[in-house]
Every structure is written in structure tokens, then in C-alpha cells.
Amino acid sequence: MPRTIVDIHVLQTVPPSNLNRDDTGSPKSAVYGGVRRARVSSQAWKRATRDAFDGLLDPSDLGVRTKRVVELLTDEITRQDAALADSAPALAKDVLTAAGIKIVAARKKKDAPEVPDESGYLLFLSNRQVENLAALAVAAAHAADGGKVTIEKSAARARADRAHSVDVSLFGRMVADDTALNVEAAAQVAHAISVHAVANEYDYFTAVDDHKKADEDEDAGAGMIGTVEFNSSTLYRYANVDVDQLHANLGDPEATKRAVAAFVRAFVASMPTGKQNTFANRTLPDAVLVVARETQPINLAGAFEEAVVDGEKGGRVAASIARLADQATELHRAFDETPIGCWSFGVGERMQPLDELGTRSTFDATVRAVADLVEQRVGQP
């Protein structure tokens, strides 16, 4: 059976910024091709992509990742049957335990009010799974009619392992206590790296005390001084979606089409929010290449193993686009790789090298074309 893989390649220039910090507050970096590159972790761009889903998908298609799952289920049980408000916390714990999810006492802060128990790890549940588990708890409470509530483990596990949301299906779920509840991720996101070498810089800043400045008897010195580390870069970003795995997770061709379209749109247009108020670094990509394949995902980072240097013909972005096109062309030729679809879009005449790989398009048209391709191929024998 032929596979369907969607690769997304993005070249994006960001001005002075600190998109993704390490534990010291410095912009993350990595050595690649023997030189230091700017880096934005895959986790940071996955989070930005997930956040963008809020404006692209209905809440019923999404999930929530939290340790406070007892509180979440308690609220949903109460919403479904207000008469169960007092017993809802116990019912929530019972149904989660029956589903194979370990519940532990929450860490209590000193002098803080009592907090509900929680899972021992972040748990990713779809909103529909939360509703279905709550409905099972409500039905069990009604059946008990004031007696001991019994919740069947098989029923609870089934409700925790069906009706997966788009984000759970794309990014996966690991449940340490019960691997049967694990969900294999259908999407992979690479760490974004700069196509060139970078050297971090420091912004020395002062913050004036307005009230002190207005006092003639006080000096007008700063109320605070500090530094912020930053860099600027042209990033190569890459992600892929295994459409077949996504379809297996969702179990619905229409939902799969909707999920792929949302992922392509969200990944391309999103950006991590680190220090964005300080740097106003929000940009759109310079160039995007989307390739549909039947074989395997192909990351084109090898195009930039030799760092782009100042003075390359046409500038850094044009040189990067040309390298990306050359890498894709040479790999396709060497490995007898024939894409089943290829679209590119971006700014200006510098996009011309990518035109030779496939259809020159626009953002919206590319998303629609990929969605149509998925619709044609999902469910084919």
C-alpha cells in the first residue's frame, strides 16, 4: 500500500530576537557543519503550532495537556450533572484510575488552599475524551443510586483511547502507567537552525523610575539595569506528517484532511513567543516548499551543512533558496525519488529555483492542494 508523507520546508529570516532561551536566558544554539548556528527547539515550534490550532479548528477537534486532570474531569462531571457536584472529585478519580491512569496527591504550597489530586505526569486528553470519561462516571453514579460506584476498567480505557483529537493524533501521547493508551505521533518537527554561523550579542538596557525622576531632590538614574542576549538569523525549518499514521489515529478521512491542512497552515505561519514584546521579531517565511511523497520523509538540512557566508550571490536568502532547490533536485535524482506533489510559495524573483521542482503557488492555494491530495489518497487500498 503506498504511503503518503507531507514534507514542509521553510526558510525564514528573523531580525534581532531571542525566540527560544536556554536555562541561562541565552538564545539556543547548536554546532552544525563545524560552526555555531542559531537554534529553535522542535518543542518550541510544536507549542507555537498547537497554539495556532485554536484559531483554525473547533474546540471539539482539540485536546488539553495537564496534570490537573482530576480538576478538569470534576468540572465536566458537574457540568453534565450539577446534582453530582459534591461527589464529582471522587468520581473523577475513580474513572481515571479505572482507565489505568495513576493519580497522586498534588504538591501543596505553604499556606495555599487545598488542591485536587492530579496525575503524576502531564496527560494529553482530547476534549471529547474528557467528555466521554465524565459521561461514563455520571452513568455509573446514576446506576449506583447512592450505593458504591463501580466503573468497568474496559469501558474507561476504551473511552480514553478513542475519539483522539487532532493535536493528540499529530504530536502523540505517552502514558507511563499504561502503554496501551500511548498514541504514536504522526508529525515530526526538526529543530530549526540558521543557514549561517551566528554570534550572540547583548543589549544593555536601563529602566527609569518615573516617580523618582519627577523628584527634584533625587538623581535621574535608572531604577534597573540589565542585559538581554539576542541574535538574528535566517532559519531552515522542517516538519513532516505521516498521513497514514494520522488517519489511523483519527479514524476519519475528513478529520485527517482537516488536520493536515491545519498543521501545514499553523506550522508555516506560527512563531514561538519568546521575548517578542522586546524585539517585535514576528516575520513571515521568505520561502516555503511543500512536498508530498510515497516513500519516506526527507529533511533537506544537508543543503546548509556548509554555512552560507556573507557576499553570496543575491544575498543570504536567495543563496539559501538556490541551495534548497539544488539539494532537493540532486537527492531526487540520486535516489530515484518522484514526489506525488510539490508546491512552493514565497517572495520575489529569488523563488525561481524552487519553481523547477513543482507548482509555484500561494499559501492558501498550497494548503487547499495538499488537503485535496490527502482526501484523494486516504483510505485507498
Side-chain angles (χ1 to χ4, degrees), residues 25-312:
S26 301
K28 289 184 177 179
S29 64
V31 173
Y32 180 62
V35 299
R36 179 70 57 182
R37 314 291 185 111
R39 177 173 66 92
V40 181
S41 73
S42 62
Q43 297 91 331
W45 232 297
K46 284 179 185 177
R47 180 69 203 190
T49 301
R50 279 185 57 213
D51 286 344
F53 285 162
D54 289 340
L56 299 172
L57 295 166
D58 188 86
S60 64
D61 283 330
L62 299 175
V64 59
R65 187 174 62 181
T66 183
K67 295 175 71 173
R68 298 170 63 175
V69 67
V70 173
E71 181 181 345
L72 188 69
L73 267 173
T74 296
D75 292 343
E76 179 59 24
I77 290 169
T78 303
R79 187 192 69 80
Q80 292 187 17
D81 189 344
L84 295 174
D86 291 339
S87 58
L91 288 170
K93 287 194 289 185
D94 287 345
V95 75
L96 289 166
T97 300
I101 298 163
K102 185 178 180 181
I103 301 301
V104 299
R107 184 178 298 177
K108 184 177 180 296
K109 295 181 180 179
K110 186 178 179 181
D111 299 326
E114 201 68 32
V115 293
D117 292 342
E118 59 186 25
S119 56
Y121 40 81
L122 283 171
L123 184 64
F124 208 173
L125 290 172
S126 74
N127 288 328
R128 284 179 291 175
Q129 286 167 349
V130 172
E131 292 173 1
N132 292 340
L133 285 167
L136 180 62
V138 170
H142 290 169
D145 194 23
K148 183 178 179 180
V149 175
T150 301
I151 299 175
E152 291 186 12
K153 291 183 178 181
S154 59
R157 291 189 180 203
R159 296 198 181 206
D161 197 32
R162 67 184 184 215
H164 295 307
S165 60
V166 167
D167 43 5
V168 171
S169 298
L170 281 166
F171 299 119
R173 178 175 73 193
M174 188 185 77
V175 179
D177 298 326
D178 191 346
T179 56
L181 294 177
N182 288 353
V183 178
E184 185 73 22
Q188 300 173 344
V189 179
H191 290 241
I193 58 170
S194 64
V195 301
H196 52 87
V198 298
N200 289 345
E201 300 179 71
Y202 294 85
D203 176 37
Y204 172 83
F205 68 88
T206 65
V208 175
D209 185 323
D210 293 338
H211 184 70
K212 180 179 175 182
K213 180 183 177 182
D215 190 336
E216 294 182 357
D217 294 329
E218 292 280 2
D219 64 76
M224 175 185 174
I225 60 173
T227 59
V228 176
E229 200 168 351
F230 67 92
N231 58 42
S232 60
S233 60
T234 297
L235 298 168
Y236 169 65
R237 300 166 45 208
Y238 169 74
N240 66 67
V241 180
D242 184 333
V243 176
D244 306 290
Q245 181 64 56
L246 182 60
H247 183 220
N249 290 347
L250 289 169
D252 177 13
E254 182 58 34
T256 303
K257 172 185 175 181
R258 194 163 60 246
V260 173
F263 182 80
V264 173
R265 187 175 293 280
F267 178 71
V268 169
S270 65
M271 180 175 282
T273 57
K275 289 289 183 181
Q276 66 177 4
N277 291 342
T278 300
F279 291 104
N281 51 251
R282 190 67 181 257
T283 62
L284 287 172
D286 300 289
V288 177
L289 174 67
V290 181
V291 185
R293 310 182 185 279
E294 292 184 316
T295 53
Q296 67 171 53
I298 300 178
N299 186 320
L300 298 177
F304 310 109
E305 189 272 339
E306 181 180 340
V308 175
V309 296
D310 293 341
E312 291 205 29

